[in-house]
Amino acid sequence: MKVGFIGLGQMGSAMAANLVKAGHAVTVWNRSPGKDDALVAAGAVLADTPAAAAQGDVVMTMLADDRALEAVVFGEDGILDCPALHVSHSTIGVALADRLAGERQRYVAAPVFGRPPAAEAGKLFVVAAGADDLIDLCEPVFEAIAQRVFRVGTTPSAANLVKLSGNFMIMAAVEAMAEAMTLAEKGGVDRATLLEVLTGTLFSAPVYKTYGDMLVADKFKPAGFAAPLGLKDMNLVDAAAGASRTPMPLLGIVRDHLRTAIALEGEDVDWAGAGLAVRRAAGLD
Ligand code: NAP
C-alpha cells in the first residue's frame, strides 16, 4: 500500500520502520529534521509537508498530543483535505477524536498499547474504531505493526476511551505496586522478592512484570514513555470523566504522583517514576 507516516518519535519511527520492512511504499514526515535518516536509508521517501505525506491510500499519525495532531491536521499544509484515509494512533482526547470524526476526512481511531520495544518488534496491540469498511482497508498496515487488532465500535472516540482507561489502569497498578513494595521494604522484605512472589502467584499480568521490574531496578531513565506524556494522558482521562460525571478518586492520586516524579527527576523521567513519589513520602531514597 502507499502509506504516509507522520511523527517519527520513539513510537512512530519504529512503526514506520516495520511498514517499510513489510514492503509498503512509505512516505514520512516529522516536524524536526534528522529523525528520518534511518528510514530513508531503508527505503522510505521524505515528504516536505504533512500534506505531501497524505496523498496515498492511508496516512498514519503518531504524535505527542492533541496540539500536535491539530497542527498536523488543521495547520498550514495539513492533511485535512488530502485523499488518504487518516489512521490516528496518538493517544488523544475523546473530544478531539469526536471532532476529527466529524470532519470531511475519512478517519479511523487506532491508538496502541505497547512500549517502544513492542513497537520495534511489530508487536503492538491496536485498538481500532470507525466504519468497518475503513478498518478493513487498514488491515495490511496493522499487520505490519501489531500482534493483535481489537475492534471496539464504529464511533472512533470509543478507541480513545479504551486507550485512556488502559493507561489509567497502568498508573493505578504502578501506584499499588509502589505502595506494596515500600511497605515490604520498610519491613525488611526486598522489592524483588515481593515481586517474584506476586507475579508468580496472583499477579502474572504483563503490566505487573514490566512495571514491577522497573520499580525494583529503580531505573526510570532513559524514558520509554516520558512522564509528561503520561501526565497528559491522566489529564485526558480527567476531561473524559468530567464530561460524563464519573468520579475517579484514584486518578487524582496517580496524577499528583506523576507531577511529583517530574518535579523530582525532570521532564525526561519515565512515567513509572511516579513510584518514586510513594518511596520518598515514606522516607526511602
Ligand atoms: P515522542 O517520542 O515524544 O514523539 C512525539 C512526536 O510528536 C515527535 O515526532 C514530535 O516531533 C511530534 N510532535 C510533538 N509536538 C508536535 C507539534 N506541535 N507539531 C508536530 N509534531 C509534533 O513520543 P512517543 O513516545 O513516540 O509517543 C507518541 C504518542 O504515542 C503519544 O500520544 C503517546 O501518548 C503515545 N504512546 C506512547 C507509548 C510509549 O510507550 N512511548 C505507548 C503507547 C502510546 P519532533 O521530533 O519535532 O519533536
Side-chain angles (χ1 to χ4, degrees), residues 165-183:
S165 300
N167 275 13
F168 164 69
M169 287 181 67
I170 294 171
M171 263 296 102
V174 167
E175 174 72 23
M177 280 191 289
E179 290 188 18
M181 284 180 187
T182 302
L183 175 70

Side-chain angles (χ1 to χ4, degrees), residues 8 10-11 30-32 35 62-64 68 91 114 224-225 232:
L8 304 176
Q10 296 216 72
M11 297 293 288
N30 192 65
R31 176 184 61 175
S32 311
K35 295 194 176 173
M62 190 47 156
L63 297 155
T91 307
F225 183 53
K232 169 264 297 184

Side-chain angles (χ1 to χ4, degrees), residues 6-76:
I6 294 180
L8 304 176
Q10 296 216 72
M11 297 293 288
S13 53
M15 293 160 73
N18 281 323
L19 291 162
V20 174
K21 238 184 265 168
H24 295 290
V26 181
T27 303
V28 297
W29 183 87
N30 192 65
R31 176 184 61 175
S32 311
K35 295 194 176 173
D36 43 66
D37 295 348
L39 284 162
V40 170
V45 172
L46 179 60
D48 53 8
T49 62
Q55 302 301 318
D57 303 307
V58 299
V59 59
M60 300 155 85
T61 51
M62 190 47 156
L63 297 155
D65 53 21
D66 283 27
R67 236 185 65 212
L69 186 58
E70 282 167 350
V72 157
V73 174
F74 301 108
E76 198 181 332

Side-chain angles (χ1 to χ4, degrees), residues 19 42 82 143 161 173 199:
L19 291 162
C82 294
E143 201 173 304
L161 204 48
T199 55

Side-chain angles (χ1 to χ4, degrees), residues 89-154:
H89 294 291
S90 320
T91 307
I92 58 163
V94 169
L96 178 57
D98 283 336
R99 179 182 172 201
L100 289 167
E103 287 291 349
R104 50 195 179 272
Q105 187 176 46
R106 292 174 305 147
Y107 183 76
V108 165
V112 301
F113 285 108
R115 291 168 61 93
E120 278 157 34
K123 298 267 184 223
L124 293 170
F125 293 101
V126 168
V127 183
D132 278 330
D133 59 328
L134 296 184
I135 301 179
D136 289 346
L137 280 179
C138 301
E139 285 298 342
V141 289
F142 289 164
E143 201 173 304
I145 62 166
Q147 59 177 295
R148 184 164 172 193
V149 179
F150 295 85
R151 295 191 182 208
V152 298
T154 52

